[in-house]
Amino acid sequence: MSIDDATAAEWDRITKQSQQRQQWWEEKGKYDMVDKPAHYNNGAIEAIDYIKQQLGENFYAYCEGNVHKYIHRYSYKNGVEDLRKARWYLDRLIKELCSDGN
């Protein structure tokens, strides 16, 4: 089945499961939408580490692009949460630059 064929009821079920998973992680104290979102921490490697591995030096541009994205959208999407995400990517960019001797 294609994602385009999903019914409204199927989307509702998936959304509810996602919300329940998020609530469970929050209750366990292991989940944070900015610093450690559950949907980026499934499997053996965290998504950001995989992206860095794949992009190499282009990882700097990836981080910078996300800073711009989250600053641009904060006022009409997730407010302070998006600003915190922008700060997270900026901090990560600084960390990467400093570890590379810049």
Side-chain angles (χ1 to χ4, degrees):
M1 175 171 71
S2 167
I3 193 169
D4 296 326
D5 297 330
T7 66
E10 290 169 322
W11 280 111
D12 290 343
R13 181 179 52 79
I14 292 168
T15 301
K16 184 176 181 180
Q17 287 173 338
S18 177
Q19 290 168 343
Q20 289 171 339
R21 187 177 305 117
Q22 177 180 341
Q23 182 180 2
W24 183 87
W25 276 96
E26 287 173 346
E27 290 170 0
K28 298 296 181 193
K30 298 177 182 177
Y31 180 74
D32 181 299
M33 280 303 293
V34 176
D35 290 322
K36 200 158 185 70
H39 57 283
Y40 287 154
N41 290 284
N42 290 328
I45 185 169
E46 189 170 346
I48 192 72
D49 296 325
Y50 174 77
I51 292 167
K52 178 183 176 188
Q53 174 188 350
Q54 296 302 308
L55 294 180
E57 289 185 19
N58 294 322
F59 184 66
Y60 300 149
Y62 172 80
C63 290
E64 183 179 343
N66 277 305
V67 170
H68 292 291
K69 173 180 75 175
Y70 287 118
I71 287 174
H72 171 74
R73 75 180 204 180
Y74 86 92
S75 65
Y76 60 87
K77 191 162 184 195
N78 295 322
V80 172
E81 181 181 306
D82 277 348
L83 292 174
R84 288 184 178 127
K85 289 178 181 180
R87 180 175 57 198
W88 188 94
Y89 278 101
L90 181 58
D91 289 343
R92 181 66 186 244
L93 177 58
I94 292 167
K95 175 183 168 188
E96 295 296 325
L97 289 167
C98 290
S99 70
D100 288 345
N102 294 320

